Amino acid sequence: MLLHKMRKKLLLGNWKMNKLASEAKEFALASAPFAALAKKNNIEIGVAPTYLSLATVKEFASKDMIVAAQNVHFMDHGAYTGEVSVPMLKEFGIDWVIIGHSERRAYDNETNQKCHDKMKVLFENNMVPVYCVGETLAEFEAGQTKAVVGRQVREGLADFSADDVKRLVVAYEPVWSIGTGKNASSEIAEDICGFVRETLRDMFGSVADEIRVLYGGSVKPVNVKEYLSCPNVDGALVGGASLKIESFEELLTNIL
Ligand code: PGA
């Protein structure tokens, strides 16, 4: 319980393929008051805009807001049409990257191995991966959640050191709950986030108590507190409810 309190709560908005740069700027410009409120309450907040809005949000948002990319390539540069590399993100001061979101796993063939390769480069550059794991509806119904999530954690993070993973954030997002309004119960969230932590402890030892494990999937202002009251849930990765500034602000004020 004491260790749990050491982990700073984290509220991260994943904007996916939403918002023009002009809209992202508007959000960024309005972020100062609630970023200050979050800081005062020892909560970290951030957003992950599209690549095209990263520089704008980084420039105009409160310096207390984390600005994360939604993806990255594992090579520095080269003939990889359509990709963006770590040095390109770093040039704009972007240190956080979402890795292995279920939409990328489903539509862009993002495997555990690819996630691993990307996180390797992030760790080498002292950056923070937000590694997404979670089972599909069919896997959930077949009772395979822990087998699937355990494999995603073990394969994605294979061979890293305890020192590497101290910067890691993991997000448990059941695929069946993402964008569907069918959020997992807080009991499921606690059970699987706890299981993720046990797996991390088995792999890396006591550093597992410092790694933040988030829940994601239809998190809204009305249910956010329930999740964050769970001992093993250290925050939330939020899609739809992070898009409007009022709703983002409400997510924060509801966990104070
Ligand atoms: P959602 O998305 O909150 O819209 O369900 C969550 C996510 O994909 O991170």
Side-chain angles (χ1 to χ4, degrees), residues 52 64 77 81 109 113 129 136 153 166 186 205 208 210 220 238 244 249:
L52 285 172
D64 294 320
H77 64 273
T81 302
N109 192 29
Q113 181 62 47
T136 63
V153 172
K166 67 177 191 286
S186 55
E210 292 165 41
K220 308 282 178 220
V238 187
K244 288 214 170 74
E249 206 163 353

Side-chain angles (χ1 to χ4, degrees), residues 217-232:
S218 297
V219 174
K220 308 282 178 220
V222 290
N223 60 27
V224 67
K225 192 174 179 123
E226 211 180 306
Y227 292 113
L228 271 79
S229 308
C230 300
N232 276 298

Side-chain angles (χ1 to χ4, degrees), residues 7-247:
R7 297 190 296 267
K8 224 179 195 184
K9 298 280 183 213
L10 171 61
L11 203 55
L12 194 61
N14 173 13
W15 287 352
K16 310 188 180 186
M17 198 174 71
N18 292 294
K19 286 192 189 293
L20 304 175
S22 53
E23 295 164 333
K25 180 175 175 181
E26 211 176 295
F27 186 108
L29 284 169
S31 65
F34 64 85
L37 184 64
K39 191 175 184 192
K40 193 167 145 240
N41 287 278
N42 205 27
I43 296 171
E44 274 192 298
I45 61 168
V47 290
T50 67
Y51 281 141
L52 285 172
S53 297
L54 281 173
T56 306
V57 175
K58 189 72 188 171
E59 181 177 355
F60 293 102
S62 157
K63 295 301 163 239
D64 294 320
M65 282 257 285
I66 293 161
V67 183
Q70 297 174 17
N71 182 32
V72 72
H73 197 269
F74 57 88
M75 295 294 285
D76 265 11
H77 64 273
Y80 300 98
T81 302
E83 298 290 347
V84 167
S85 72
V86 160
M88 293 168 190
L89 295 179
K90 289 198 92 162
E91 186 180 19
F92 287 95
I94 307 298
D95 293 322
W96 286 58
V97 185
I98 296 174
I99 297 292
H101 188 277
S102 70
E103 286 145 20
R104 295 204 55 80
R105 289 181 187 264
Y107 310 139
D108 294 276
N109 192 29
E110 192 116 317
T111 59
N112 293 336
Q113 181 62 47
K114 266 196 204 169
C115 294
H116 178 275
D117 295 347
K118 293 176 180 197
M119 287 193 278
K120 185 167 193 293
V121 188
L122 294 178
F123 290 139
E124 282 166 5
N125 284 277
N126 295 327
M127 292 166 75
V128 182
V130 179
Y131 180 42
C132 301
V133 296
E135 81 287 4
T136 63
L137 181 60
E139 289 162 344
F140 174 73
E141 286 175 345
Q144 292 170 347
T145 300
K146 288 185 180 171
V148 170
V149 171
R151 198 159 53 236
Q152 289 168 331
V153 172
R154 287 184 187 277
E155 291 181 8
L157 298 168
D159 304 326
F160 292 134
S161 69
D163 194 51
D164 287 330
V165 298
K166 67 177 191 286
R167 276 181 296 276
L168 172 72
V169 174
V170 179
Y172 166 57
E173 300 201 301
V175 179
W176 48 271
S177 74
I178 296 177
T180 58
K182 291 188 198 136
N183 53 304
S185 67
S186 55
E187 288 76 19
I188 293 179
E190 169 61 16
D191 183 32
I192 306 304
C193 290
F195 169 74
V196 167
R197 192 176 313 287
E198 282 316 308
T199 308
L200 293 169
R201 196 188 321 279
D202 187 46
M203 296 175 76
F204 305 109
S206 60
V207 72
D209 290 315
E210 292 165 41
I211 297 173
R212 284 176 292 181
V213 182
L214 316 181
Y215 168 76
S218 297
V219 174
K220 308 282 178 220
V222 290
N223 60 27
V224 67
K225 192 174 179 123
E226 211 180 306
Y227 292 113
L228 271 79
S229 308
C230 300
N232 276 298
V233 180
D234 303 313
L237 183 57
V238 187
S242 75
L243 289 170
K244 288 214 170 74
I245 198 134
E246 300 76 19
S247 167

